Amino acid sequence: MSHPSPKITLPDYPAELQADPRDLPYDKAQLTRFYVAMKLARTFEEKLGALYRQGKVNGAVYLGMGQEATSVGSVSALKDGDFFTTVARNLSAFFYKGIEPRDVMARWMGKDIPPSNGRELGLFLADIKNFGIPPYHNGSMASWIPSGAGYALAFKLRKQPNVMAAFTGDGATSPGDFYEGLNFAAIHKLPLVIICEVNQFAYSTSIAKQMPVVNVADRAPAFNIYAETHFGNDLFLVIEAAQRGIEHARSGKGPALIEFKTFRQRGHGEHDDMAYVPEELRDFWAERDPIKMYREWLLKRASFTTSELESTETQVEADVESAITYAESLPMPKPESVTERLFAPSPHDPDPNQAAPYEPIDHPSIPGLTAAQDKSEGGHF
Amino acid sequence: MARMTYLQAISDALRTEMRRDPNVFLIGEDIAVFGGAFKITQGFLQEFGEDRVIDTPISESGFVGAACAAATVGFRPVVEFQFIDFISCAFDQIVNYAAKCYYRWGIQMPVVLRGPTGGGVHAGPFHSQNPEAWFAHTPGLKVVLPSTARDAKGLLTAAIRDNNPVIYLENKFLYRHYREDVPEGEHVTPIGVAALRTVGDDLSIISYGATVHHCVEAARMLEKEGASVEVLDLRSLVPLDRKAILESVRKTSRALVVHEANLTAGFGGEVAALIAQEAFEYLDAPVTRVASLDVPVPFSPPLEMAMLPSVDKIANAARSVLAY
């Protein structure tokens, strides 16, 4: 490492999951579903990074390796009709909710598939109808906190017992939109849940250079909202905390901010070698990899066998391979489609042949237009 | 028909659409209890309740983002900026979220973003601006600027019913200075169709918003001097009624483009370029522009009047074009 390492204090998070399987309400199928979503995302992203380096995926790719437990655990606590929005690091949430890897891969390759038809990167999906993912993400960090408040407002106005869960990160708690969105949501007690993944770096900038508080949850008192902070690589801690936050918001008590400490194992994007991350920190979090810990727990505590897990892993590998094959087989969008679907049709769209009507202004001169202003009407100005 | 000021016509459109469609709600600063800084929403809270007339904290990016989001799930929010100058605080939500949503995902966002523009009322640098070019430059936003009370109502009705984000720019000088007969009940002016305010053969003056009135005054002056001047009011910049511009210029062979926003990179440059490219062989004189000077809008009246376009400045420019 050529960069001087800042002095870091490592937390005392354990390197194994603590839950007793007898206390958990999950059957084997559900435990497998958690594992598949996390492992599928990890395997997919390893492949995606390789494809990017081979020049088979254009632009830049942003991976979420290391944050699979926060993603899967949080969305597993949502109910039918709830909305959620992700950031670049939540592919496993997509997979847990049933989004097909092949469709995500096709989007990464810029293929002509709905809903974006090549207009948006693979990680940005909006599909309200099928997955409860509303449109979000303006590109600027935190921009989806105001829109999150808007979806929560829509639920409240309709008296719908649903919540809006917005994933965000430590870096996104600095822009004004974080404050503006949460402030509005807190004033109106909107069912907005902020799932804040503190992954230690905003691009290359450490938390110490981003915020004057230790925890994002320390910001919560400014909004008078519910907040919790947890180790985010323990799937079961995540699920429980997300459930509490979501049910708090659902009960009409206002927003919840649930903070998970985790680690971004790759750079901001695959172009970033993350040389700014101290070795010590990487090693600490590598021991606490969420998938590794969960796999060990399944074997040691939940009576899964190695051959069972290996068979799942083989299937996951095959699914990713077939996703790539499928995505490669799809057509690219037609260049002439680039100007299509800019404006939605509207009821009063004019006939293109409609001539400009003659609608004269036949009043006398407006007072003040050519002479001094007339203030006799009153009002502001 | 009812005699209404430009301001009353805006209120009338909002009230009519809110009575017609329960998905329309209003959101902005001081619009509920106070009835708005200009009193456009006076009495709305009492009629429609606090779920549909929402006072916000001073946080334009926050409430614009929230309104845009609600628009994608069936609501038709109308956002009021107290002064359009503060729209810059919500720039990201407008140009990056609202403008691109339908293009990115095919999800409609029927939201209206409206507020008072313009100078001439000695309000200083942050209560006087004309930001239309920022938004006309952003694909995915419609940009509408009514110059009359009838259009203020008709275009706002169309904007609320439009399935896209519409930037609806009112002129605060016209609020109480302009009144005319406006249709009662439903009145729709389609977005994207210009209107002829005078008809003539010698010169086309192309304008929009408040300066349409200056142009009509100038046309009356020039008429007395023997010139026949056509004033075309664009009414919307996006979509732009290119056909109306070109038809008028092909008829008169002379074009003067006028707006209150400052000159450089103003929308008038776009209109001039269109004419130069599509009607070059019809022209008998250079396409000429009259706009505000390229400075912030100053407070003190002599400075502000020196900065803004005026009837005299327009008439003088028109005389030069006619004499070329």
Side-chain angles (χ1 to χ4, degrees):
Chain A
M1 305 299 296
S2 57
H3 293 252
S5 297
K7 185 170 161 34
I8 49 172
T9 313
L10 295 169
D12 58 354
Y13 301 137
E16 56 187 9
L17 304 193
Q18 304 298 301
D20 185 331
R22 288 168 301 187
D23 298 337
L24 299 173
Y26 310 121
D27 61 14
K28 196 155 188 171
Q30 180 58 45
L31 293 173
T32 304
R33 186 181 172 196
F34 292 137
Y35 187 64
V36 167
M38 293 199 287
K39 190 68 187 174
L40 192 53
R42 179 70 60 93
T43 309
F44 184 106
E45 290 195 335
E46 282 165 354
K47 267 295 191 200
L48 183 63
L51 289 168
Y52 167 73
R53 284 183 287 279
Q54 292 162 21
K56 290 182 179 169
V57 171
N58 297 306
V61 300
Y62 308 92
L63 308 181
M65 289 183 202
Q67 301 179 217
E68 292 88 348
T70 51
S71 305
V72 166
S74 299
V75 294
S76 77
L78 295 171
K79 292 186 175 158
D80 283 352
D82 291 345
F83 281 3
F84 74 105
T85 55
T86 57
V87 290
R89 318 291 179 203
N90 308 115
L91 185 61
S92 52
F94 278 11
F95 292 158
Y96 185 84
K97 295 293 278 185
I99 294 167
E100 291 291 341
R102 63 187 205 168
D103 292 339
V104 180
M105 189 60 81
R107 290 183 190 115
W108 270 115
M109 290 183 178
K111 298 302 178 104
D112 188 16
I113 68 158
S116 54
N117 301 88
R119 289 153 185 217
E120 194 42 285
L121 279 68
L123 70 161
F124 298 133
L125 175 69
D127 188 338
I128 297 171
K129 205 172 88 197
N130 295 306
F131 302 108
I133 305 175
Y136 68 104
H137 198 295
N138 313 356
S140 90
M141 295 303 287
S143 57
W144 52 95
I145 306 302
S147 46
Y151 292 113
L153 174 68
F155 286 139
K156 189 183 177 195
L157 291 178
R158 294 230 163 88
K159 300 180 169 49
Q160 224 173 301
N162 286 111
V163 304
M164 165 72 210
F167 280 94
T168 195
D170 42 279
T173 69
S174 296
D177 268 351
F178 176 79
Y179 188 92
E180 293 194 17
L182 256 184
N183 190 49
F184 183 78
I187 288 166
H188 293 281
K189 294 206 181 301
L190 303 180
L192 174 66
V193 182
I194 306 289
I195 306 288
C196 186
E197 298 171 283
V198 175
N199 66 4
Q200 312 304 324
F201 290 88
Y203 207 141
S204 70
T205 305
S206 68
I207 287 170
K209 296 283 186 191
Q210 289 176 58
M211 54 192 213
V213 287
V214 175
N215 301 310
V216 169
D218 297 339
R219 300 186 190 274
F223 307 106
N224 192 22
I225 59 170
Y226 183 83
E228 293 187 19
T229 300
H230 298 280
F231 175 39
N233 288 6
D234 182 326
L235 178 70
F236 298 116
L237 286 181
V238 171
I239 295 171
E240 288 168 16
Q243 282 172 341
R244 285 191 295 272
I246 287 167
E247 293 321 311
H248 173 90
R250 200 188 305 282
S251 69
K253 293 177 191 154
L257 170 61
I258 308 300
E259 174 182 20
F260 295 121
K261 307 288 194 186
T262 182
F263 184 69
R264 192 192 72 202
Q265 294 180 355
R266 304 293 300 178
H268 172 69
E270 282 300 276
H271 54 278
D272 167 12
D273 68 1
M274 58 191 287
Y276 46 84
V277 180
E279 200 80 54
E280 202 186 347
L281 197 60
R282 297 186 199 213
D283 293 346
F284 174 85
W285 286 98
E287 280 173 46
R288 289 157 186 79
D289 180 286
I291 299 178
K292 175 175 150 281
M293 288 198 299
Y294 184 57
R295 190 180 195 278
E296 283 166 7
W297 183 89
L298 289 174
L299 291 171
K300 278 192 214 155
R301 310 282 303 273
S303 65
F304 275 67
T305 65
T306 305
S307 67
E308 274 174 326
L309 290 179
E310 281 173 356
S311 136
T312 301
E313 287 152 7
T314 305
Q315 185 57 48
V316 160
E317 301 258 354
D319 289 349
V320 173
E321 287 305 325
S322 74
I324 295 168
T325 309
Y326 168 84
E328 282 176 335
S329 76
L330 290 178
M332 296 297 273
K334 291 192 170 58
E336 57 269 29
S337 73
V338 70
T339 52
E340 291 169 5
R341 207 182 72 195
L342 179 62
F343 288 112
S346 298
H348 301 288
D349 285 344
D351 174 344
N353 296 315
Q354 191 169 337
Y358 175 51
E359 292 179 10
I361 290 171
D362 51 7
H363 61 82
S365 301
I366 297 176
L369 197 65
T370 53
Q373 208 190 133
D374 176 7
K375 291 212 169 190
S376 61
E377 294 288 336
H380 208 142
F381 301 119
Chain B
M1 291 286 184
R3 198 84 178 153
M4 283 183 208
T5 62
Y6 180 98
L7 183 144
Q8 287 164 338
I10 293 167
S11 296
D12 192 46
L14 291 173
R15 194 180 295 107
T16 305
E17 286 307 289
M18 288 184 77
R19 285 175 183 167
R20 191 185 70 86
D21 182 351
N23 292 311
V24 178
F25 72 79
L26 309 184
I27 185 165
E29 293 160 8
D30 306 300
I31 63 166
V33 174
F34 190 59
F38 292 89
K39 302 294 177 191
I40 284 175
T41 52
Q42 182 102 59
F44 278 53
L45 176 63
Q46 291 73 14
E47 178 170 355
F48 300 107
E50 60 181 8
D51 278 1
R52 297 186 68 197
V53 189
I54 303 172
D55 268 337
T56 65
I58 301 170
S59 51
E60 284 79 6
S61 190
F63 62 74
V64 169
C68 289
T72 66
V73 288
F75 287 98
R76 291 185 174 269
V78 181
V79 176
E80 175 172 304
F81 294 97
Q82 198 159 84
F83 287 87
I84 209 67
D85 310 66
F86 309 137
I87 201 169
S88 53
C89 302
F91 201 66
D92 177 53
Q93 295 289 350
I94 299 169
V95 304
N96 286 327
Y97 184 38
K100 295 172 177 56
C101 185
Y102 187 66
Y103 188 77
R104 291 164 87 194
W105 296 305
I107 293 176
Q108 296 179 358
M109 189 184 279
V111 63
V112 179
L113 305 163
R114 51 158 287 267
T117 67
V121 295
H122 318 313
F126 307 112
H127 288 60
S128 305
Q129 297 179 74
N130 290 285
E132 68 271 13
W134 301 343
F135 302 105
H137 187 66
T138 303
L141 302 172
K142 294 191 178 181
V143 180
V144 174
L145 309 95
S147 67
T148 68
R150 287 173 62 98
D151 283 355
K153 179 170 178 180
L155 287 170
L156 184 50
T157 305
I160 292 169
R161 297 180 188 183
D162 202 282
N163 292 322
N164 301 281
V166 180
I167 311 284
Y168 177 93
L169 302 172
E170 304 155 16
N171 184 275
K172 72 176 80 67
F173 180 83
L174 296 176
Y175 272 166
R176 294 183 173 86
H177 285 101
Y178 185 81
R179 70 177 73 227
E180 66 180 344
D181 289 336
V182 175
E184 289 174 272
E186 175 164 314
H187 169 56
V188 183
T189 306
I191 297 173
V193 183
L196 291 163
R197 300 307 185 188
T198 68
V199 174
D201 297 319
D202 301 334
L203 168 68
S204 300
I205 305 184
I206 299 148
S207 190
Y208 54 84
T211 48
V212 166
H213 298 277
H214 299 74
C215 295
V216 169
E217 284 291 314
R220 284 173 183 156
M221 285 167 68
L222 294 163
E223 203 177 329
K224 289 174 191 153
E225 299 167 21
S228 164
V229 176
E230 182 148 300
V231 175
L232 183 70
D233 177 358
L234 293 176
R235 301 201 279 195
S236 74
L237 305 186
V238 183
L240 179 63
D241 193 343
R242 292 183 169 80
K243 192 166 132 290
I245 295 169
L246 295 173
E247 271 175 18
S248 180
V249 174
R250 284 171 182 154
K251 180 177 70 171
T252 64
S253 302
R254 288 181 162 82
L256 180 66
V257 185
V258 179
H259 54 61
E260 190 186 307
N262 61 299
L263 184 76
T264 301
F267 196 79
E270 185 62 34
V271 176
L274 172 74
I275 295 166
Q277 191 167 334
E278 302 292 331
F280 183 74
E281 63 272 31
Y282 292 86
L283 289 174
D284 289 340
V287 182
T288 300
R289 288 180 291 161
V290 174
S292 283
L293 304 180
D294 286 320
V295 294
V297 187
F299 166 62
S300 184
L303 297 177
E304 186 180 24
M305 291 304 132
M307 183 259 184
L308 291 169
S310 65
V311 175
D312 286 341
K313 287 178 192 175
I314 294 164
N316 286 337
R319 287 183 193 107
S320 298
V321 175
L322 285 162
Y324 186 86

